[in-house]
Amino acid sequence: MSEHPDAALIRRGYEAFGAGDMETMGTLMTADVIHHVPGSNPLSGHHKGRDAVLDLYRRLGEETKGTFRVELHAVLVDGRGHVMAFHTARGDRGDHGIEIQGGLFFTIVGGKISDIDECTQDIDEEDRFWG
């Protein structure tokens, strides 16, 4: 059974993220991509445009001194340009650590990621960690 192209796109994105390969990440997104981050912390909000989204990802690494990692568990597609990905995120920031379940809901347009809605197991825990 072959993997749907939208699922393969998201897997490539997770692999590039894990490798810190922002150049590849950028090629997978539309120029006007938006990543929506929930909560009330310094990373929360709507990161609009490829550069802003890539800056968000760089910041995840900087804020955790390179300890932030994401383990992908599942990728689900609807065949109409939507993908859900489920993962565990881990990292250390100062004297705080986090291990939390999360998910991303992607919209794919023209074979590229145009919108990313982020969900988390515990918004309050995320706010404490990133705050």
Side-chain angles (χ1 to χ4, degrees):
M1 186 165 120
S2 66
E3 185 169 51
H4 191 278
D6 291 345
L9 172 72
I10 298 311
R11 285 188 194 281
R12 280 195 310 274
Y14 270 83
E15 289 169 9
F17 181 87
D21 184 354
M22 294 300 121
E23 184 176 333
T24 296
M25 290 289 303
T27 67
L28 305 177
M29 301 174 194
T30 62
D32 61 349
V33 64
I34 302 174
H35 186 134
H36 310 275
V37 179
S40 299
N41 66 69
L43 300 178
S44 298
H46 308 286
H47 302 268
K48 299 177 182 180
R50 186 183 297 127
D51 290 340
V53 172
L54 293 175
D55 284 343
L56 168 66
Y57 299 161
R58 285 185 193 97
R59 219 168 139 201
L60 294 172
E62 290 169 2
E63 293 285 330
T64 62
K65 299 196 182 331
T67 65
F68 192 78
R69 297 283 180 260
V70 177
E71 178 186 352
L72 181 62
H73 300 298
V75 177
L76 309 175
V77 300
D78 72 353
R80 297 178 292 114
H82 301 111
V83 178
M84 293 188 314
F86 300 93
H87 60 258
T88 301
R90 295 177 180 90
D92 296 307
R93 188 165 181 262
D95 61 352
H96 297 94
I98 195 166
E99 180 172 326
I100 196 163
Q101 303 302 308
L104 299 173
F105 180 83
F106 297 90
T107 301
I108 311 296
V109 175
K112 294 195 179 231
I113 300 164
S114 68
D115 196 82
I116 306 163
D117 281 300
E118 185 174 329
C119 296
T120 181
Q121 178 182 25
D122 188 333
I123 290 175
D124 293 335
E125 179 63 20
E126 292 254 358
D127 285 345
R128 278 189 293 277
F129 181 75
W130 295 111

